[in-house]
Amino acid sequence: GAVTRKHIIFDHAIDGISNLVSIIGGKLTTYRSLSEQTVDFLFKKMKIKNVKSKTKEIPFLFKTIQVNLSSYDPSCEYAY
């Protein structure tokens, strides 16, 4: 099936952890929008005057990184 773009910004204050916010879900192609929403949420939570994001106007510089997987060692993986 299709990958969902749905996401939530979860404030862990409900769990008694006042300084932790998680982004759950989303898609890599929506990272800029997700980030902007999260910063807006944090500014509101911290009662800080929100400043308009400039990331819509700043070009994203992307450099392709080539990785040699021939030496990949799966024993180095961590489970989260």
Side-chain angles (χ1 to χ4, degrees), residues 7-74:
H7 65 276
I8 61 169
I9 300 169
F10 183 77
D11 187 349
H12 292 271
I14 196 167
D15 299 321
I17 307 169
S18 60
N19 296 320
L20 179 62
V21 173
S22 295
I23 301 170
I24 303 166
K27 229 176 135 177
L28 182 61
T29 55
T30 61
Y31 76 94
R32 197 212 56 79
S33 175
L34 257 160
S35 300
E36 186 175 341
Q37 290 174 35
T38 304
V39 169
D40 290 347
F41 174 83
L42 292 171
F43 275 40
K44 184 176 181 180
K45 180 177 173 66
M46 296 167 53
K47 297 181 177 138
I48 298 173
K49 183 181 178 208
N50 196 348
V51 178
K52 184 176 175 351
S53 173
K54 297 178 182 179
T55 60
K56 287 182 183 178
E57 293 86 34
I58 299 172
F60 179 70
L61 302 175
F62 181 76
K63 181 178 181 180
T64 303
I65 300 171
Q66 294 182 350
V67 178
N68 181 355
L69 294 178
S70 64
S71 61
Y72 173 71
D73 180 0

